[in-house]
Amino acid sequence: AQSVAQPEDQVNVAEGNPLTVKCTYSVSGNPYLFWYVQYPNRGLQFLLKYITGDNLVKGSYGFEAEFNKSQTSFHLKKPSALVSDSALYFCAVRPYNQGGKLIFGQGTELSVKP
Amino acid sequence: DAGVTQSPTHLIKTRGQHVTLRCSPISGHKSVSWYQQVLGQGPQFIFQYYEKEERGRGNFPDRFSARQFPNYSSELNVNALLLGDSALYLCASSLTGGERQPQHFGDGTRLSIL
C-alpha cells in the first residue's frame, strides 16, 4: 500500500535553533514528494518539491528538504527557526503515473518558542 | 493575482441533506482536485478534473460527485449527508494536473453536519 508517515505528532524548537520535521514514504516506482504548511483556519501552502536531481531541495521561507532514497525519507529542515514558523506541516507523495493524486501524512505540529 | 477561491467558507447542514461546494482555480489553471480533511488528519483525495474530464477518484462513496465547467471552475456535491462528512473540504488547482506540478490550495469550506 502506498503511504506517507510523519512519526512525530509534535515538534518543539527554540527560536534560532535548527528544526527537522520527519517524513518517510512507501510507494512503488519513483515518487514525487512535496511539503505543505497549514496555518489555523487556512488551506495548505506549497513549500517545496522533489522531482528528480539533487537530493537537497530548497523551498520557500528558508525551508529545505533532503531526499534519501535508501531510507525512503524526505525530511524538512530549516537552519534557524522563527516563531512565525509555528504551524501544521504535511508531507505528501504523488505516486508515479497516477495523475494528480496526492497522498498526505497525518501532519506534524511545529511549535517554535521565543 | 487571486489564488484558489472556495465558497462558502462555512456551512451547517443536517443529516440526509445534500450540499454543493464551489471552487474557482487560479487563473490559467485547468486542473482542479478536491480533498477532504477531517480534524486531526491529513487531507484525503476525492477527485481530480482536467478539461472537464474526471482524471482520478479516491476511495469515497457514490454520494460524492463533482464536475468541472468550461471556465475550469468546479463543484463538489455530496448527497445524503452523514455525521462523518463533517470536515474541511479543500480545493486545489494546478496548470494541467501533471505529476510534477504542485497543487495550490484554497482555504477550504468547513462543513458541519448536525
Side-chain angles (χ1 to χ4, degrees), chain A residues 32 34 36 38 41-46 49 51-52 88 90 94-102 104-107, chain B residues 33 35 37 40-45 48 55 58 88 90 97-108 110:
Chain A
Y32 301 132
F34 302 81
Y36 286 84
Q38 187 175 34
N41 301 313
R42 300 296 302 274
L44 279 68
Q45 292 181 30
F46 168 70
K49 66 178 179 179
I51 303 299
T52 187
L88 189 56
F90 289 98
R94 179 173 286 149
Y96 178 70
N97 210 24
Q98 289 195 26
K101 172 183 178 179
L102 281 170
F104 285 89
Q106 70 272 30
Chain B
S33 298
Y35 292 82
Q37 186 180 17
Q41 297 181 19
Q44 297 286 318
F45 173 75
Q48 184 193 21
R55 273 275 194 89
L88 179 68
L90 295 165
E99 295 167 336
R100 299 180 174 218
Q101 299 168 13
Q103 293 181 349
H104 300 274
F105 286 79
D107 286 340
R110 174 77 59 189

Side-chain angles (χ1 to χ4, degrees), chain A residues 65-109:
Chain A
E66 186 169 11
F67 172 66
N68 187 317
K69 188 173 183 178
S70 62
Q71 297 185 4
T72 61
S73 67
F74 188 56
H75 300 332
L76 181 70
K77 300 181 179 185
K78 188 174 183 181
S80 179
L82 300 173
V83 172
S84 57
D85 293 330
S86 298
L88 189 56
Y89 289 80
F90 289 98
C91 180
V93 63
R94 179 173 286 149
Y96 178 70
N97 210 24
Q98 289 195 26
K101 172 183 178 179
L102 281 170
I103 299 172
F104 285 89
Q106 70 272 30
T108 298
E109 185 80 40

Side-chain angles (χ1 to χ4, degrees), chain A residues 23-71:
Chain A
C23 171
T24 59
Y25 64 91
S26 174
V27 65
S28 56
N30 293 322
Y32 301 132
L33 297 157
F34 302 81
W35 275 101
Y36 286 84
V37 59
Q38 187 175 34
Y39 294 97
N41 301 313
R42 300 296 302 274
L44 279 68
Q45 292 181 30
F46 168 70
L47 282 178
L48 51 79
K49 66 178 179 179
Y50 172 82
I51 303 299
T52 187
D54 289 341
N55 290 339
L56 187 63
V57 178
K58 295 189 182 297
S60 305
Y61 313 118
F63 284 94
E64 56 190 28
E66 186 169 11
F67 172 66
N68 187 317
K69 188 173 183 178
S70 62
Q71 297 185 4

